[in-house]
Amino acid sequence: MCFDIACRKNCTKHGGACPKFCAPDCVRHAVACPDRAGGWTFTKPEGKGKRSIALPSPLVALLKLHHEAQQAERQTAGDRWKDWDLVWCMPDGGPIDAGDDWDEWKAILEIAEIDKDARVHDTRHTAATLLLEQGVDIRVIQAVLGHSQLTTTKCSTHITEALASEAAARMGRALWDD
C-alpha cells in the first residue's frame, strides 16, 4: 500500500498517513484505492427487520424540512442521483463517508463544549437515561431503543444523581410523611 496523503485529524491507524492507492501487486487494497472491490453493503437488521417508532412532534417537523431539502438535491442531481433510499446522504444520494460523518460529529461535540470523547452510540445511552429521568417505564425505553432483551436496556440506562436523590426523597416520604 502507498501512504502518501494526510490522515483525518487525530487518526492513529496509519502513523499519520492514510493510504491513497496501492501497488500493482497488492491484493488487500486500501480503503481509497480505486482497485478495491466491494463498498457499501446494506443488510436487514436482526430481528423483525422493520419497526415503527414514536417521534417527538418537533423532530417530525424537522425531518419533513430535511426531506424537502433532500428532494431539491434529488432534482438538482438529476441523472446523477444514486437512489439508496437514505435519510442522510451526500448531495448525489450516495452514502456519507464514515470519516466525514465522524469529523462532523467531533465538530458538534466541540461546539457543544463536550470534553468527553463520546461516540455517536453514546447518544443512545444518553437518550435512555434522559427517558428514565423523565419517569418513562423501562419497558417503554426498551421499545424505543429497539432492544429485544430488557438486560440490554438496563445496560444502556445510567443512574444519575438526580435519579438517586429522587429515590431517596420518595423513600423518605413513604416512611416519614403522613
Side-chain angles (χ1 to χ4, degrees), residues 135-157:
V136 175
D137 184 86
I138 191 83
R139 302 279 299 182
V140 174
I141 298 171
Q142 176 186 3
V144 168
L145 295 179
H147 293 155
S148 59
Q149 300 292 321
L150 191 58
T151 53
T152 306
T153 308
K154 288 179 179 179
C155 290
S156 295
T157 56

Side-chain angles (χ1 to χ4, degrees), residues 46-143:
E46 293 179 17
K48 296 178 184 177
K50 284 189 177 185
R51 64 186 174 105
S52 296
I53 57 170
L55 297 173
S57 55
L59 179 57
V60 172
L62 290 171
L63 287 171
K64 285 181 179 179
L65 288 172
H66 173 74
H67 182 70
E68 289 173 15
Q70 193 176 60
Q71 292 306 316
E73 286 180 339
R74 178 189 293 257
Q75 288 178 347
T76 301
D79 292 342
R80 294 173 295 159
W81 183 262
K82 299 170 187 157
D83 198 358
W84 290 63
D85 195 29
L86 301 172
V87 176
W88 287 274
C89 61
M90 297 297 290
D92 66 355
I96 297 170
D97 177 79
D100 293 342
D101 199 36
W102 182 251
D103 291 342
E104 188 171 343
W105 169 249
K106 292 301 184 178
I108 289 168
L109 291 175
E110 190 174 318
I111 290 166
E113 298 178 1
I114 296 173
D115 294 330
K116 182 182 182 216
D117 189 24
R119 305 164 300 157
V120 176
H121 180 80
D122 293 332
T123 62
R124 290 176 56 83
H125 292 251
T126 301
T129 302
L130 289 172
L131 288 168
L132 194 62
E133 283 185 335
Q134 296 301 312
V136 175
D137 184 86
I138 191 83
R139 302 279 299 182
V140 174
I141 298 171
Q142 176 186 3

